[in-house]
Amino acid sequence: MKIDITNQTNGVKAFLGGFSTEELSAKIEACQNGQCECACDPAIMQKIEGISLASVDGGATITITGDVNAQTLAPMMQECLIDTAKKENRI
């Protein structure tokens, strides 16, 4: 599993290798509702204006718009997605 996250004009775009849009959608919803199993920062979540997902070969892409950047979100995504998947023995 791989995360490749880059800054864009109004947010970030990330390629998430090995994830389906359904799986990511459930995790995003949990974070937005404050029900995630990782260190989702409520202050960061409030800066997010929108999140969109798309399926691509080998994984999915996520586009996050708002006052966020790759340097802030990459460690959170690593913990919430990759580390959680390792704990669940999926990778």
Side-chain angles (χ1 to χ4, degrees), residues 3-43:
I3 295 177
D4 182 21
I5 184 169
T6 55
N7 288 313
Q8 293 193 140
T9 304
N10 190 29
V12 299
K13 184 170 189 172
F15 168 77
L16 303 164
F19 287 92
S20 69
T21 54
E22 294 82 10
E23 181 178 14
L24 291 171
S25 182
K27 288 186 176 288
I28 290 165
E29 188 175 321
C31 281
Q32 289 174 323
N33 294 334
Q35 305 295 316
C36 57
E37 299 171 1
C38 54
C40 292
D41 184 341

Side-chain angles (χ1 to χ4, degrees), residues 50-83:
I51 300 173
S52 61
L53 293 167
S55 293
V56 294
D57 284 344
T61 59
I62 182 171
T63 303
I64 303 172
T65 54
D67 185 20
V68 293
N69 62 55
Q71 292 77 21
T72 301
L73 291 181
M76 291 174 62
M77 293 175 82
Q78 171 74 30
E79 179 189 348
C80 286
L81 300 172
I82 304 295
D83 295 348

